[in-house]
Amino acid sequence: MALIGTDIQRASRELDQGNLVGIPTETVYGLAGNALDSQVVAKIFLVKNRPAFDPLIVHIPSFQYLNTIVSEVPDMANLLASHFWPGPLTLVLPRKDIVPDLITSGLSTVAVRVPNHPLTLKLLNQLDYPLASPSANPFGYVSPTTAEHVQQQLGGDLTYILDGGPCKIGIESTIIGFESQQPVMYRPGGISLEAIEAQVGEVSYKPQDSGVVAPGMLDSHYAPQKKLILGNISGLLKEYGQKKVGILSLKDRFQQIEDRYQIQLSPTGDLTEAARNLFGSLRKLDAMPITYIFAELVPNHGLGLAINDRLQRAAS
Ligand code: TXA
Ligand code: MG
């Protein structure tokens, strides 16, 4: 098992030695290693059981650092970075040769962000290299939002987990790239599409599994072990019956089901709170003695877009 603590020096020593470390971010915990060392990057793919065609995000300490790994920063990228970094925004930009091919799965672009967590920012600022870091879950499973989640699944492969408490956003970063000078969203995430469009105007949405840009976002992802069925929960209870069922709703309770088998993402229907609770709730339901998880989509605005994206992938 990995050691869990808040010792940045320790984390930095482990990384310097080519080891993998669990790191906190405001979105989800990452499985981090030296982004400039191909061998370390290969280890990340191995530990995560991640297919080599699914590229990784590079985490950097500051906007100024961007030029080290990226060859060109369009004006709109500049605008977005200065507005949202540090924060849950990943930009896909033309890469420099210093970035190992393995990170980008051979693409000519690299995904990069400045995470907004005090411990990880401090860590990044004292390292001589950026950190490659996918979410710290086995490929296909729900992302971790606490250090314990990381320990439970990947503890054996990490030497240290930097404990930064529960993630404040709870859902992965929004990924934005540029095609023919126009902004494109590849993954909805912790910054709403509305907030991004307020900066750069209309952004088109190209779900990552729909094309060749990032074949990595496979349909089935963020999936608990239990079978998750999406729909109108009352309807599902009628159709499938009520035995061995757990419920994940935005705010409603269902009298037919025992309280302990129900989770409300946000009693007030607040989508930011719902996003923060989503992955932890899926893990809790996964541990219950139930066969099915019945879940419903949330309103499709603000962080609701990202929540619905993850629910749909969890269900497929
Ligand atoms: O919030 C986050 O982004 C978290 C934390 C740890 O920073 N990281 C995360 O990483 O979600 P991961 O590996 O689980 O997801 C990275 C996504 C993948 O879906 C991948 O396809 C996409 O980023 N990606 C990476 N490089 C890309 C590129 N050059 N073009 C398009 N998409 C890319
Ligand atoms: Mg992931």
Side-chain angles (χ1 to χ4, degrees), residues 82-288:
S82 48
H83 202 266
F84 292 112
W85 280 355
L89 170 73
T90 293
L91 292 172
V92 173
L93 298 170
R95 69 178 177 127
K96 279 191 172 158
D97 289 342
I98 188 178
V99 181
D101 283 335
L102 203 49
I103 287 199
T104 66
S105 305
L107 295 171
S108 60
T109 52
V110 62
V112 55
R113 83 178 190 104
V114 182
N116 190 16
H117 191 289
L119 287 185
T120 292
L121 278 176
K122 228 183 229 170
L123 174 66
L124 282 166
N125 270 295
Q126 72 178 56
L127 296 172
D128 301 326
Y129 44 84
L131 290 174
S133 177
S135 51
N137 51 282
F139 185 71
Y141 194 70
V142 180
S143 298
T145 51
T146 66
E148 289 69 34
H149 293 164
V150 181
Q151 178 78 296
Q152 280 158 23
Q153 290 185 306
L154 297 178
D157 297 302
L158 303 173
T159 51
Y160 195 70
I161 301 171
L162 196 55
D163 188 353
C167 299
K168 294 218 162 87
I169 304 280
I171 206 154
E172 298 85 351
S173 59
T174 305
I175 303 182
I176 302 280
F178 302 88
E179 296 181 15
S180 318
Q181 263 86 256
Q182 293 307 307
V184 181
M185 180 171 74
Y186 298 124
R187 177 177 74 183
I191 293 179
S192 71
L193 184 58
E194 294 91 327
I196 287 168
E197 292 190 326
Q199 297 303 314
V200 294
E202 203 184 326
V203 175
S204 54
Y205 177 23
K206 207 177 196 183
Q208 287 179 308
D209 36 25
S210 73
V212 287
V213 176
M217 275 277 286
L218 304 174
D219 264 343
S220 167
H221 223 94
Y222 309 101
Q225 245 108 51
K226 301 267 151 68
K227 188 161 177 53
L228 186 143
I229 303 176
L230 261 183
N232 172 285
I233 293 173
S234 302
L236 290 173
L237 288 168
K238 278 196 203 114
E239 191 182 334
Y240 288 82
Q242 298 151 20
K243 275 216 182 107
K244 302 228 164 201
V245 163
I247 284 175
L248 184 66
S249 72
L250 178 58
K251 58 181 168 37
D252 294 335
R253 286 188 172 278
F254 296 82
Q255 283 175 346
Q256 310 90 305
I257 300 292
E258 275 184 68
D259 264 358
R260 61 185 165 138
Y261 297 139
Q262 303 197 42
I263 298 182
Q264 287 80 36
L265 288 173
S266 165
T268 60
D270 177 65
L271 295 175
T272 303
E273 183 183 28
R276 186 158 58 234
N277 289 331
L278 178 65
F279 291 144
S281 302
L282 284 171
R283 281 174 188 261
K284 279 185 198 147
L285 284 157
D286 224 4
M288 290 178 187

